[in-house]
Amino acid sequence: MTLAPPAPVYTSTVVVPRRRRRRSFRAPLLGLLGVVVFLGVWQLVSAAGLINPSQLPSAANTFTRLGTMAADLEFWRNVGRTLTAWAIGLAIASVLGILLGGLIGLVPVLRRATNTTVEFLRPIPSVALIPLAILTYGIQIPAALVIIVYACFWQVFVQVLYGVADIDTVARDTARSYGLTRGAQLRSLVLPTALPYIFTGLRLAASVALILAITAEMTISNPGLGQVIITAASNGNIATVYAVVIVTGLLGLIINLVFRVLERRALAWHQSVRGEEVL
């Protein structure tokens, strides 16, 4: 009697292709190269005198001024003031957008009843509310929060509506036929379907909130980076203006990267994130 050879044992070890590893390193390097080229062109244009230095200071002068500002405690206080308005406005808009979007999206009657109102209010630019906000709250943070919340609310609200509407009708009918409670349906069906849309809305709203926070400081004169830009421009300190603009751009980049990391971790199970990893 002969014994059959043992069956081969397959392990679950995943080997990352070299091409994918190269791509993971290539993207940051290309991004860094683009920044270096941009700064070099900026410095050459300024050194050649193609643009008046009073309108475009050199990159070296701008970053020297940025280094001086970074050593000043008041600069970091202004950064904190801007981020405080950003965080409060984004939090309020996110909670309202998720709750109202989920409620209206799950009730067809409410969605049909509010469709015209939503389409009327959504295109209104939030900066048009600045005079009303100033008349109501004066030159205070609540006035800035009005325009931040208004602009960010629609980013989250509309995405939640799309997410709820994307629920598969067959899956919904199956859940009902199995007698799942509303809470179970929310956890097992509604939330997994709407979660990618919610994160998209939050990521968009985070960028919009930063823009509106700085805009409010520039127009309402609330303390923060926006007010620093206006004060520096009125005093003819153009290097400070460009330095603060660079800071706002870095803040926007960091915020976007943080929300992307959170999105990828929370949606590691979703096909959209898994598809990005495979490519």
Side-chain angles (χ1 to χ4, degrees), residues 65-137:
R65 177 55 184 159
L66 180 58
T68 303
M69 293 171 58
D72 186 4
L73 182 59
E74 184 62 22
F75 165 75
W76 294 106
R77 288 174 179 168
N78 286 319
V79 173
R81 291 161 183 157
T82 299
L83 291 180
T84 298
W86 166 81
I88 296 175
L90 177 62
I92 296 174
S94 300
V95 172
L96 292 177
I98 292 174
L99 292 180
L100 292 179
L103 176 62
I104 295 175
L106 290 173
V107 182
V109 175
L110 288 178
R111 182 160 188 171
R112 289 192 296 268
T114 59
N115 183 59
T116 302
T117 304
V118 169
E119 294 301 324
F120 171 75
L121 294 176
R122 188 161 61 96
I124 297 177
S126 58
V127 292
L129 302 178
I130 291 178
L132 179 61
I134 294 176
L135 289 174
T136 305
Y137 297 103

Side-chain angles (χ1 to χ4, degrees), residues 17 29 48 51 71 76 80 89 94 105 120 125 131 136 139 147 162 178 196 199-200 208 215-216 232 262 265-266 272:
L29 291 178
I51 300 178
W76 294 106
S94 300
F120 171 75
T136 305
I139 305 177
I147 63 174
Y162 288 155
Y178 275 94
F199 270 100
T200 300
V208 172
T215 301
L262 294 176
R265 292 195 174 185
S272 60

